[in-house]
């Protein structure tokens, strides 16, 4: 586990630090005054039932929506602060894999991956092409630079999306349902890629997922979002929470894993 822990079990340093965060959608409160810290190099999963606000929470972490109250610090920079210079510094800290990879269908892979460099750097076309090729190679897509999204499988699209997310060398990667729609073998390969990037690059991952196999395979810790209390009901290692969480909702969420195993044997 890559978390920097104190003797009392608390995190000694934070790549992501959330304090007193409150999020609302119209008159509905989604999250109320939560506090959360994520350590450098940690793989941290946001979990919970559908509609509990997981993806909304992730969009706030990326600064796509302002928080109603509280602060979100990314590597010491306030993503929701009033200072635009600091917000820009915060945005440089992270890359994003959106659901379905969200690649431009009219661009080939190297153009897709290099797009953030075109908008936020002074690299030449040749330099952008070389950097994109390097990132594609890192995710196992060397030789596919000229392919278009419609020519790729679902797993390859996710890998290309991760390459684009990494093109500016971020310290944090936000992943929204990275394994959604993938078969178990392809999903496992994507999990292995995430673990490899963490080992080789020291990247911190924050992901929203409902895939239990991925949660158990890669997550150091999880936060279980509860829509009834508008709070994080429990935080911890997923294997520990599955057995020992004091909250029945959390244990039931993880119990789906055993049900799925039983159904696969029957079928």
């Amino acid at each position: 586990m890559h978390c920097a822990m104190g003797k009392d079990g608390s995190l000694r340093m934070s790549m992501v630090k959330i304090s007193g965060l409150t999020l609302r959608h119209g008159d509905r409160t989604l999250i109320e005054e939560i506090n959360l810290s994520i350590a450098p190099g940690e793989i941290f999963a946001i979990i919970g039932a559908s509609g509990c606000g997981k993806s909304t929470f992730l969009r706030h972490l990326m600064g796509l929506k302002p928080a109603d109250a509280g602060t979100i610090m990314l590597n010491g920079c306030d993503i929701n602060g009033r200072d635009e210079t600091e917000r820009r510094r915060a945005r440089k800290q992270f890359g994003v894999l959106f659901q379905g990879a969200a690649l431009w269908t009219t661009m080939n892979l190297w153009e897709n991956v290099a797009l953030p460099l075109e908008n936020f750097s002074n690299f030449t076309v040749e330099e952008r092409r070389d950097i994109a090729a390097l990132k594609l190679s890192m995710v196992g897509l060397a030789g596919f630079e000229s392919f278009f999204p419609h020519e790729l499988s679902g797993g390859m699209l996710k890998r290309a999306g991760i390459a684009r997310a990494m093109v500016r060398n971020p310290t944090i990667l936000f992943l929204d349902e990275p394994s959604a729609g993938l078969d178990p073998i392809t999903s496992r390969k994507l999990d292995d890629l995430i673990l490899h990037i963490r080992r080789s690059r020291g990247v911190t991952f924050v992901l929203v997922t409902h895939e239990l196999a991925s949660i158990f395979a890669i997550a150091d810790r999880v936060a279980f979002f509860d829509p009834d209390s508008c709070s994080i009901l429990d935080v911890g290692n997923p294997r520990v929470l599955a057995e020992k969480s004091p909250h029945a909702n959390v244990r039931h969420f993880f119990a789906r894993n055993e049900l799925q195993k039983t159904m696969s044997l029957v079928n």
Side-chain angles (χ1 to χ4, degrees), residues 76-112:
C77 299
D78 189 352
I79 189 68
N80 284 311
R82 296 183 179 181
D83 188 329
E84 177 57 30
T85 299
E86 182 161 354
R87 288 201 302 272
R88 274 200 298 271
R89 284 201 300 268
R91 286 193 287 269
K92 289 180 180 179
Q93 303 295 327
F94 66 84
V96 183
L97 173 65
F98 295 99
Q99 288 190 33
L103 300 178
W104 293 96
T105 58
T106 56
M107 296 180 178
N108 63 28
L109 282 200
W110 88 257
E111 291 169 330
N112 265 289

Side-chain angles (χ1 to χ4, degrees), residues 97-159:
L97 173 65
F98 295 99
Q99 288 190 33
L103 300 178
W104 293 96
T105 58
T106 56
M107 296 180 178
N108 63 28
L109 282 200
W110 88 257
E111 291 169 330
N112 265 289
V113 173
L115 187 58
L117 298 177
E118 181 178 345
N119 293 331
F120 299 105
S121 78
N122 295 319
F123 291 118
T124 66
V125 174
E126 291 76 15
E127 289 169 333
R128 295 198 300 270
R129 188 192 296 266
D130 289 343
I131 293 171
L134 175 63
K135 299 304 181 183
L136 286 167
S137 176
M138 288 173 57
V139 300
L141 290 176
F144 287 88
E145 294 84 0
S146 297
F147 280 59
F148 284 82
H150 73 271
E151 300 177 292
L152 304 179
S153 67
M156 295 169 76
L157 288 173
K158 296 293 181 74
R159 288 172 175 266

Side-chain angles (χ1 to χ4, degrees), residues 14-256:
S14 301
M15 182 61 70
V16 180
K17 186 173 180 60
I18 300 163
S19 303
L21 186 65
T22 296
L23 309 178
R24 298 188 180 92
H25 182 72
D27 295 332
R28 179 189 175 199
T29 299
L30 300 175
I31 294 169
E32 190 164 22
E33 295 188 4
I34 67 167
N35 302 291
L36 184 66
S37 293
I38 300 172
E42 188 172 15
I43 299 177
F44 194 93
I46 307 299
I47 65 174
S50 298
C52 69
K54 302 186 298 295
S55 293
T56 298
F57 175 72
L58 196 67
R59 287 194 288 272
H60 281 83
L61 291 190
M62 294 184 286
L64 297 179
K65 291 186 177 183
D68 293 280
T71 59
I72 301 171
M73 306 296 291
L74 304 181
N75 201 13
C77 299
D78 189 352
I79 189 68
N80 284 311
R82 296 183 179 181
D83 188 329
E84 177 57 30
T85 299
E86 182 161 354
R87 288 201 302 272
R88 274 200 298 271
R89 284 201 300 268
R91 286 193 287 269
K92 289 180 180 179
Q93 303 295 327
F94 66 84
V96 183
L97 173 65
F98 295 99
Q99 288 190 33
L103 300 178
W104 293 96
T105 58
T106 56
M107 296 180 178
N108 63 28
L109 282 200
W110 88 257
E111 291 169 330
N112 265 289
V113 173
L115 187 58
L117 298 177
E118 181 178 345
N119 293 331
F120 299 105
S121 78
N122 295 319
F123 291 118
T124 66
V125 174
E126 291 76 15
E127 289 169 333
R128 295 198 300 270
R129 188 192 296 266
D130 289 343
I131 293 171
L134 175 63
K135 299 304 181 183
L136 286 167
S137 176
M138 288 173 57
V139 300
L141 290 176
F144 287 88
E145 294 84 0
S146 297
F147 280 59
F148 284 82
H150 73 271
E151 300 177 292
L152 304 179
S153 67
M156 295 169 76
L157 288 173
K158 296 293 181 74
R159 288 172 175 266
I162 290 176
R164 184 178 60 186
M166 293 176 57
V167 76
R168 298 178 71 199
N169 298 317
T171 54
I172 307 167
L173 283 180
F174 294 122
L175 312 181
D176 194 0
E177 297 285 4
S179 299
L182 301 182
D183 63 83
I185 294 175
T186 304
S187 179
R188 180 66 217 196
K189 289 180 179 178
L190 190 64
D191 290 341
D192 290 341
L193 175 62
I194 291 170
L195 291 170
H196 172 72
I197 293 171
R198 193 263 292 276
R199 285 193 302 267
S200 62
R201 314 286 292 187
V203 173
T204 302
F205 285 87
V206 182
L207 60 146
V208 167
T209 183
H210 66 278
E211 301 289 342
L212 287 171
S214 291
I215 292 169
F216 286 122
I218 67 174
D220 295 311
R221 289 190 304 149
V222 301
F224 185 90
F225 275 53
D226 177 49
D228 294 329
S229 62
C230 303
S231 67
I232 294 176
L233 203 57
D234 214 343
V235 178
N237 179 276
R239 296 187 183 278
V240 174
L241 295 187
E243 295 183 5
K244 299 181 179 179
S245 174
H247 304 282
N249 287 354
V250 177
R251 298 194 307 274
H252 291 164
F253 178 89
F254 287 110
R256 293 184 303 136

Side-chain angles (χ1 to χ4, degrees), residues 250-263:
V250 177
R251 298 194 307 274
H252 291 164
F253 178 89
F254 287 110
R256 293 184 303 136
N257 191 47
E258 295 304 319
L259 177 61
Q260 289 171 350
K261 286 180 181 179
T262 301
M263 291 178 66

